[in-house]
Amino acid sequence: MMLDRLTPQAPDALLALIRLHNADPRPEKIDLGVGVYRTEEGTTPVFAAVKAAEAQLLAEQDSKSYLGPEGDMGFVHALMPHIFGADPTMGGRISGMQTPGGTGAVRLALALAQKAGVRRVHMGVPSWPNHAQILADLGMELAPFDHARADGSADVDALLAAIRGAGPNEAVLLHACCHNPTGIDYTADQWAAIAAALAESGTFPIIDAAYQGLGQGMEEDAAGLRAVLAAVPEAFIAYSCDKNFGQYRDRVGAFYIMAGEPGALETAFSNANALARAAWSMPPDHGGAVVRIILRDPDLTAQWLAEVDAMRARMREVRAALAAAGRAGRIDLAPLGSQNGLFAMLPVTKEEVAQLREEHAIYMAASGRINIAGLTSTNLPRFIAALAAVAA
Ligand SMILES: Cc1ncc(COP(=O)(O)O)c(C=O)c1O
């Protein structure tokens, strides 16, 4: 039988963790596994700005006829000043298209790079697991280097060596901010060195921006990406609105290309459109239309930005409380205070992760990744005490 030729694939570890957590009857259980923002009350609500825009969309939308493979270009353009700044097209060198989530944008970026001849992609590890999965699925080679040092800082020397040592048909995949899973971002000085190395070597940058606004601020989180774009002739940017608009399941993303000149940009998009048509034809509309409505309305934009500010402030508070605790057993929590975004990696063993789950009802990925937003002022002291007990 044909289907007998298929071998079972490893189940998604985080989904298995969700199931375990849901089945756990202990009321004090703490979920640090799932990668979504949570409020102090432990919920992931729809943004008020999104609700208001959805009401408007429901009242105003007069057709659900097909759009093209590029999706809602009003959405794509409205986002650009937030990502790229005061000159959002860099003099006509940047354009974009809508994608099914940031995942669709990463997939399209890598597939287009492959079509343009890229065979090998340099990337700091650990990274978001889907980066390696997409590369493997496309048959592209991953050239890994260590993203972080043991002291909780970014190993920028490893990245610079990878960029300088890369061959002509090679690219480097960078996280714009809020590195998943480590939370360890490059400093402004490091981004300047990265931009200079990219400009000098000609290594092609692919920048994944999935968490703008969740680290230090909307502008601050885009500074590294903008430094790179100011220095290099060409780049790809994969963007997700699923975290910073809280639209996870609506799959809202965009793929941007910066090219050397307008002719090259047009040709690149004709190829990106062809890849999109063959993969998903066109992206889902709803979430992108919602973002467009928000970003074209100054009041809704202000409301959305205030909601992003509140998310970020809460995560910074949790990080400050972890850092203030100093140590939990052998684990130094101080670096978590200056790291960014939803995630941090704790240097715990798989056995300690299992012990935290079994003895303390604390759920985290086997890698030691925790979701910072799973912690609250109520459960944080218990988390630190359990960690100290387990990682003595
Ligand atoms: C680094 C990174 N890139 C891209 C994505 C994709 O986001 P989505 O497809 O949900 O928009 C994620 C989501 O977890 C991520 O962590």
Side-chain angles (χ1 to χ4, degrees), residues 14 32-36 126-127 147-148 152 178-185 211 214 315-316 318-320 322-323 331-348 353 363-375 380 383 387:
L14 276 179
L32 306 179
V34 188
V36 300
S127 188
H147 174 66
C178 304
H179 186 271
N180 179 5
T182 66
I184 299 170
D185 288 339
Y211 298 92
L214 273 61
M315 290 190 288
R316 292 246 69 96
V318 171
R319 287 184 175 280
L322 286 164
I331 296 172
D332 182 11
L333 294 172
L336 274 67
S338 53
Q339 295 167 2
N340 293 322
L342 267 182
F343 304 114
M345 285 283 276
L346 299 177
V348 284
V353 170
Y363 287 76
M364 68 171 80
S367 61
R369 188 190 85 164
I370 59 167
N371 177 358
I372 292 292
L375 293 167
L380 196 124
F383 169 68
L387 195 58

Side-chain angles (χ1 to χ4, degrees), residues 35 100-104 106 128 131 175 180 208 210-211 239-243 248 251-253 343:
T103 306
V106 170
W128 179 49
H131 283 148
H175 296 230
N180 179 5
D208 184 1
Y211 298 92
Y239 195 91
S240 173
C241 295
D242 290 325
K243 318 292 158 110
Y248 312 91
R251 315 303 305 129
V252 193
F343 304 114

Side-chain angles (χ1 to χ4, degrees), residues 97 99 103-113 236 255 272 275-276 280:
M97 61 192 283
T99 56
T103 306
V106 170
R107 171 90 198 186
L108 191 52
L110 291 171
L112 187 59
F236 290 165
F255 170 54
L275 287 167
W280 51 74

